[in-house]
Amino acid sequence: MYRTTPFYERTSVLNKTGLWAHWSGYLSAAQYQLSEKFEYFAVRNSAGVYDTSPLYKYSIRGRDAEKFLSGVLARDIRKCRPGRAQYTIWCDDDGFVIEDGVINRLSATEFMLSAAEPNLAYFQGLVGYEEVEIEDVSDSIASFAFQGPLSRRILSAISPDVDKLGYFHLTETKIGGSPVTVSRTGYTGDLGYEIWSPADEALGVWDAVFEASEGYGVVPFGETALLMTRIEAGLLLIGADFRPSRFAWTDADKSTPLELGFGWMFRSIETESRPFIGREAIRNELSNGSRWRLIGLVLDWQSWDDVYGRAGHVPPKDHTPLAEETMLYKDEEQVGFATSWMYSPMVQRHIAIAQVRPELAALGTEVSFEVTIDHHLDYVKARVTRMPFYDPPHKTA
Amino acid sequence: MPSQRTYDAIVVGAGHNGLINGAYLAKSGLNTLILERRHLVGGAAITEELHPGFQFTTFSYALSHIRPEIIHELDLVEHGFMPLLMESLLAPMENGDYLLLGQDEQRNITEIRRHSKHDADAYQQFTHDVAMVVRAIKPLLDSIPPNIVSKEPEELVRMAALAQHMRDLPPRVIHNAVRLLMGSAADFLDDYFESEILKASIASSGIIGSKVGPRSQGSGLVLLFMAVGEHDGDQGAWAFHKGGNGGFTQVLATAARAFGAEIAVESPVDTVTTDNGRATGVVLADGTEIEAGIVVSSLDPRRTFLELVDPRELPSDLVESINRMKFQGTSAKVNFALDGLPTFPALADRGPEPYRGFINLGPTIDYLERAFDDAKYGWFSKRPYLDSCIQSTIDPDMAPPGKHVMSNFVQYTPFELKGSDWDTERENLGDTVQAVIEGFFPGFGDLVLHREVVTPLDIERTLGLTEGNIYAGEFLAPQMYFFRPAPGWNQYRTPIAGYYQCGSGTHPGGCVMGGPGRLAASQIIGDLEAAE
Ligand SMILES: Cc1cc2nc3c(=O)[nH]c(=O)nc-3n(C[C@H](O)[C@H](O)[C@H](O)COP(=O)(O)OP(=O)(O)OC[C@H]3O[C@@H](n4cnc5c(N)ncnc54)[C@H](O)[C@@H]3O)c2cc1C
């Protein structure tokens, strides 16, 4: 049967809709209340709570843990000091992305990596004679995200360390009497935190946060609202925006870090000697060019209205996040594809995460976005834009 | 105080239409000054901290009509535009039951079936029929209407285009449009529904701001007007802008300034100066003279034509039309600061969720019609209809944690009271409204920390809206489209060259819509280009 998370005792009562998604074998609320859009707005205007317990969590520790990770992860872990977190990726020898995740550095020799897919065999298979222990601690650590502009005010009332916590920093503190790690990370592109606690003490932590939230309009939010916020934040989703290279059929079905916009991770690749998996392939790609380039697209509102108006429709502005490939054209030639898109309530336009031929990646470049209306195809103008689409100053301030 | 003595354009009044108009004029390159009489911008769309920590939407309280083009053309998103969804409509009934409609269409159907199995798909049909009419009339809302008395070729072309547009509509759509525009909300709804609570909660939108009952002809038009708005493409849905409609007008002010417009508050305009039939500028109440070749009034038609300029400079038939225009405000507001969340007993275990939209206190057509009866004879309703919202459930920043603000739009409250006046009756009205709420939310009175009663007289005094009419002129068929505010003067121009109108008393009309401000700007810019 599908498993339930350590918070199920609470989430099952809070979920009034009976709508559950399946995430890594767990029941994960799709939406708790009648309006998923309200849950979304709570994240953008107040704060929301999202149960992230189904994430895979790996404890990586030992004298050589840093050395091991600096060779396995594409982003340089040595630059991540204890008390910091890093968004990172790992690649295969051919320089294709296997997966992405966030790694918390708890001390000089202890790390915790969270990821959407299981990776234990892969990581363990890479351990040589180093002194590194990798343990799947997914079941023993419960986690939830607390995201939104009011999250700091609320959380620092019960955990004062949080008040000064910088973006992608972490702190070990207590909430509801239980030991927790709070990281200033998240998947919504807003001010927010993730709270990691022992699974058997999870409910007390959850209750303490909800109690502190009383009167602030805080609600739990489900997967639909989460996926809306992550598209606005321009954050990629495995399985939607790229596929893990380990299980792809063809190279065409794989993505490189440069194609996915992670070039910033390799700014010093030519001046540093750090060996890591995929390094040579990435260097080659840096000099020879990539197939695609990740971009943000904003659809032209006038063109959208015209296309639907011509067809006699009231132009739909649906916030439901869609993770399906949509083709992009320039002068009748297919030049790229969008992988996730939606109507963004904050941007007030349709937005899409997409990949195009590198020569079309410049800001402001116009392409045509394919839509299906009444059994025919039509094309909406779209422009390359900066991501994140929504990037409030309080995210990092 | 304005920084200069001469501008290209002056906009009188910094309500949302004045701000929008000024922003477009500035965007087109005109050196533009917006003059506001009060200490704050926004006009009827303001938010004020009237009790420490509690933000009140004194007047206007929800957003739906704002033309999407304006959001894009004025870059409002960059300046903080944030329309939070009002997700539901809760209609309590006198027997303790309720109707609760929301975003989930399937759930709405099961909820309606609780009241009438017949009305379930009837509701889908009704929604679709209204949406078809809205789609048909939307192009008319977003363009300058033809001048019906003009023989100019350009106007004949406009009339022909309008006729063509009508001819292309399916007969069912045309007929539904006419039934709505000419008929009563109650008659229209009777054709679809049998459930009283469903009918009443829809019909109530047909009386908003207007001196009509649900059974009066004319309430169909108001019902249709309330349906032309949207939230993110969802027709007829409403938003609560972050920080209220005052939060929205602050966004407009920032946008207007970003385009280069200057806004001066506490600068009441006394008169618009003219020379030889041309506008030359304005004189402020303190005697300051400011020059501009273009002056735009966002005030209502009475003030635009009879107060800011000398009516003797105007054709007498225009003056007569303006004098005949019906204002007769019949709406009031009663706003509360609350110590906690009021609860409707049947939903006591549901927390704030059912209140995150509108609460419709007016459970039957008879209830609404009786409330209107009182007004016909010169008194406020003994049991008024209330359109209520507890806005802090949508935007927690409106009140301190755990506390709430509640906005109640009240009908009917005729501007003219027989044998008394509003200064005498203000708190009686407050008590009457509070008693209605208490009836549905027992214990409500114990939660009240602060009460603000806004009568039609207060609306007139504070905003200058004649007789407190919230739309700057009633939404009656003879005062719309070709005739708003007067035949031949529905294209934002006036008989005085360079003097224009852009307020809610012009097409498409009132509500926080911005249509008048935007279309007036396009007329002005077009006239300037033609003159070059
Ligand atoms: C109580 C109430 C509730 C409402 N509720 C809603 C609602 O929920 N949703 C909705 O969409 N609509 C609502 N409306 C209608 C809507 O708010 C108005 O139609 C709209 O705000 C009017 O905008 P405006 O810019 O045309 O005029 P106004 O907002 O009236 O602006 C005119 C401005 O001119 C200023 N002024 C007056 N005289 C002078 C002078 N001599 N010199 C300089 N400045 C001057 C005034 O102070 C004011 O700021 C409501 C209106 C009221 C009164």
Side-chain angles (χ1 to χ4, degrees), chain A residues 206-223:
Chain A
W206 175 280
D207 291 344
V209 169
F210 269 88
E211 203 178 298
S213 301
E214 198 64 50
Y216 286 100
V218 174
V219 297
F221 64 105
E223 201 178 282

Side-chain angles (χ1 to χ4, degrees), chain A residues 295-305 307 326-331 335-338 340-342 349-356 360-371 378-386 389:
Chain A
I295 52 151
L297 276 184
V298 171
L299 274 61
D300 185 280
W301 64 273
Q302 188 92 61
S303 169
W304 179 271
D305 284 6
V307 162
T326 303
M327 294 308 133
L328 305 175
Y329 296 85
K330 180 112 193 157
D331 306 327
V335 293
F337 51 97
S340 298
W341 66 290
M342 65 184 283
R349 308 265 209 288
H350 290 87
I351 57 174
I353 297 175
Q355 293 175 50
V356 290
L360 296 174
L363 289 181
T365 307
E366 192 181 297
V367 294
S368 303
F369 184 98
E370 185 176 278
V371 291
D378 210 330
Y379 302 91
V380 176
K381 277 189 226 162
R383 265 180 211 292
V384 176
T385 186
R386 235 181 273 285
F389 299 99

Side-chain angles (χ1 to χ4, degrees), chain B residues 12-18 35-38 40 42-45 58-65 238 245 267-270 298-299 303 308 333 409 459 462-465 470-471 502-504 510-512:
Chain B
V12 184
H16 82 285
N17 275 314
L35 292 168
E36 169 56 43
R37 183 171 58 102
R38 300 194 68 205
L40 81 175
T58 314
F59 306 103
S60 185
Y61 53 103
L63 185 69
S64 177
H65 291 75
W238 289 75
N245 274 348
S267 304
V269 172
D270 185 64
S298 74
L299 312 192
R303 296 184 197 276
L308 291 182
K333 274 294 291 288
F409 183 83
I459 295 174
T462 314
L463 301 173
L465 286 168
I470 72 164
Y471 301 132
C502 77
S504 296
C511 287
V512 183

Side-chain angles (χ1 to χ4, degrees), chain A residues 242-274:
Chain A
F242 70 98
R243 248 158 280 287
S245 74
R246 284 168 80 190
F247 312 118
W249 295 110
T250 62
D251 284 357
D253 200 21
K254 302 174 187 173
S255 298
T256 72
L258 302 179
E259 290 167 354
L260 294 180
F262 299 133
W264 55 271
M265 291 186 183
F266 309 109
R267 279 198 197 111
S268 45
I269 197 169
E270 289 307 330
T271 53
E272 56 151 68
S273 56
R274 175 177 67 102

Side-chain angles (χ1 to χ4, degrees), chain A residues 71-381:
Chain A
V72 170
L73 303 177
R75 190 170 173 199
D76 193 348
I77 192 68
R78 298 169 309 173
K79 296 188 177 143
C80 179
R81 284 184 273 146
R84 302 286 164 90
Q86 216 184 41
Y87 172 71
T88 190
I89 55 170
W90 45 104
C91 298
D92 63 19
D93 283 337
D94 299 326
F96 290 114
V97 175
I98 296 177
E99 215 192 312
D100 62 342
V102 173
I103 187 157
N104 291 349
R105 183 161 199 174
L106 305 168
S107 73
T109 55
E110 282 173 286
F111 299 83
M112 197 199 59
L113 176 70
S114 54
E117 302 285 323
N119 280 274
L120 188 64
Y122 175 73
F123 288 134
Q124 280 182 341
L126 294 169
V127 179
Y129 291 100
E130 293 128 325
E131 204 174 289
V132 188
E133 196 185 335
I134 306 174
E135 189 189 352
D136 182 335
V137 292
S138 309
D139 293 347
S140 59
I141 298 181
S143 58
F144 63 94
F146 187 52
Q147 305 273 307
L150 298 188
S151 59
R152 171 161 41 207
R153 197 203 301 178
I154 295 168
L155 211 50
S156 53
I158 49 170
S159 175
D161 298 357
V162 167
D163 191 39
K164 296 267 165 315
L165 198 64
Y167 189 51
F168 269 86
H169 289 209
L170 32 117
T171 178
E172 299 195 29
T173 175
K174 280 201 156 150
I175 292 181
S178 297
V180 295
T181 302
V182 177
S183 57
R184 189 161 158 199
T185 51
Y187 199 45
T188 63
D190 227 292
L191 172 65
Y193 305 86
E194 285 172 289
I195 299 162
W196 317 80
S197 69
D200 50 5
E201 297 180 48
L203 290 179
V205 179
W206 175 280
D207 291 344
V209 169
F210 269 88
E211 203 178 298
S213 301
E214 198 64 50
Y216 286 100
V218 174
V219 297
F221 64 105
E223 201 178 282
T224 308
L226 178 79
L227 294 179
M228 291 171 70
T229 59
R230 77 97 190 163
I231 295 178
E232 288 183 335
L235 296 171
L236 303 190
L237 175 64
I238 189 166
D241 302 305
F242 70 98
R243 248 158 280 287
S245 74
R246 284 168 80 190
F247 312 118
W249 295 110
T250 62
D251 284 357
D253 200 21
K254 302 174 187 173
S255 298
T256 72
L258 302 179
E259 290 167 354
L260 294 180
F262 299 133
W264 55 271
M265 291 186 183
F266 309 109
R267 279 198 197 111
S268 45
I269 197 169
E270 289 307 330
T271 53
E272 56 151 68
S273 56
R274 175 177 67 102
F276 67 90
I277 300 170
R279 175 187 154 101
E280 285 320 303
I282 291 168
R283 284 185 60 205
N284 273 338
E285 188 181 337
L286 277 168
S287 47
N288 298 334
S290 310
R291 302 169 300 180
W292 306 109
R293 184 75 78 217
L294 187 90
I295 52 151
L297 276 184
V298 171
L299 274 61
D300 185 280
W301 64 273
Q302 188 92 61
S303 169
W304 179 271
D305 284 6
D306 288 351
V307 162
Y308 279 91
R310 258 201 317 271
H313 285 231
V314 171
K317 298 178 187 167
D318 191 342
H319 59 265
T320 313
L322 297 174
E324 54 191 36
E325 275 203 353
T326 303
M327 294 308 133
L328 305 175
Y329 296 85
K330 180 112 193 157
D331 306 327
E332 320 236 315
E333 187 197 345
Q334 194 229 323
V335 293
F337 51 97
T339 47
S340 298
W341 66 290
M342 65 184 283
Y343 179 82
S344 160
M346 287 309 295
V347 182
Q348 293 280 305
R349 308 265 209 288
H350 290 87
I351 57 174
I353 297 175
Q355 293 175 50
V356 290
R357 303 251 177 253
E359 62 274 19
L360 296 174
L363 289 181
T365 307
E366 192 181 297
V367 294
S368 303
F369 184 98
E370 185 176 278
V371 291
T372 313
I373 312 175
D374 291 346
H375 326 299
H376 74 272
L377 294 175
D378 210 330
Y379 302 91
V380 176
K381 277 189 226 162

Side-chain angles (χ1 to χ4, degrees), chain B residues 156-416:
Chain B
L156 298 178
V157 169
R158 273 204 168 119
M159 284 299 286
L162 178 64
Q164 177 71 41
H165 177 69
M166 305 289 279
R167 225 176 9 247
D168 289 346
L169 296 174
R172 182 183 171 85
V173 175
I174 299 220
H175 196 211
N176 281 336
V178 172
R179 291 198 309 149
L180 282 166
L181 293 171
M182 310 281 190
S184 80
D187 282 345
F188 192 81
L189 294 166
D190 276 341
D191 291 339
Y192 291 88
F193 303 124
E194 57 183 30
S195 156
E196 197 56 38
I197 186 65
L198 184 59
K199 279 195 261 187
S201 46
I202 301 173
S204 55
S205 71
I207 62 173
I208 296 287
S210 306
K211 194 168 181 180
V212 291
R215 296 198 177 103
S216 318
Q217 292 182 344
S219 54
L221 186 155
V222 181
L223 186 149
L224 179 60
F225 205 94
M226 289 301 122
V228 301
E230 64 172 87
H231 179 258
D232 292 351
D234 185 3
Q235 281 192 18
W238 289 75
F240 181 73
H241 193 279
K242 171 81 191 156
N245 274 348
F248 175 60
T249 46
Q250 288 301 320
V251 170
L252 290 178
T254 315
R257 288 197 189 96
F259 286 115
E262 182 179 332
I263 302 171
V265 294
E266 296 180 319
S267 304
V269 172
D270 185 64
T271 41
V272 173
T273 52
T274 59
D275 180 25
N276 223 345
R278 270 212 72 88
T280 56
V282 300
V283 181
L284 302 185
D286 67 3
T288 309
E289 290 178 33
I290 311 171
E291 286 175 22
I294 289 165
V295 178
V296 194
S297 166
S298 74
L299 312 192
D300 75 31
R302 282 271 167 84
R303 296 184 197 276
T304 299
F305 290 107
L306 309 183
E307 205 176 277
L308 291 182
V309 296
D310 184 345
R312 277 158 306 199
E313 281 198 49
L314 304 174
S316 55
D317 59 344
L318 169 60
V319 173
E320 192 191 354
S321 293
I322 298 299
N323 272 322
R324 277 198 316 228
M325 195 170 181
K326 295 278 179 283
F327 289 83
Q328 51 189 20
T330 41
S331 316
K333 274 294 291 288
V334 179
N335 302 311
F336 293 96
L338 300 175
D339 201 25
L341 187 67
T343 32
F344 182 65
L347 293 164
D349 60 343
R350 291 283 295 278
E353 189 182 7
Y355 313 120
R356 292 190 306 222
F358 293 99
I359 303 169
N360 196 76
L361 301 182
T364 62
I365 298 277
D366 282 355
Y367 180 111
L368 301 172
E369 192 67 28
R370 287 212 179 90
F372 178 51
D373 286 343
D374 295 325
K376 279 189 281 198
Y377 305 108
W379 203 249
F380 58 88
S381 311
K382 284 189 261 325
R383 296 199 70 202
Y385 160 70
L386 306 182
D387 185 31
S388 309
C389 340
I390 305 172
Q391 300 160 323
S392 42
T393 61
I394 303 168
D395 180 3
D397 290 336
M398 294 295 286
K403 316 276 186 218
H404 290 280
V405 284
M406 185 181 193
S407 153
N408 299 277
F409 183 83
V410 186
Q411 271 186 224
Y412 297 79
T413 56
F415 180 76
E416 303 272 3

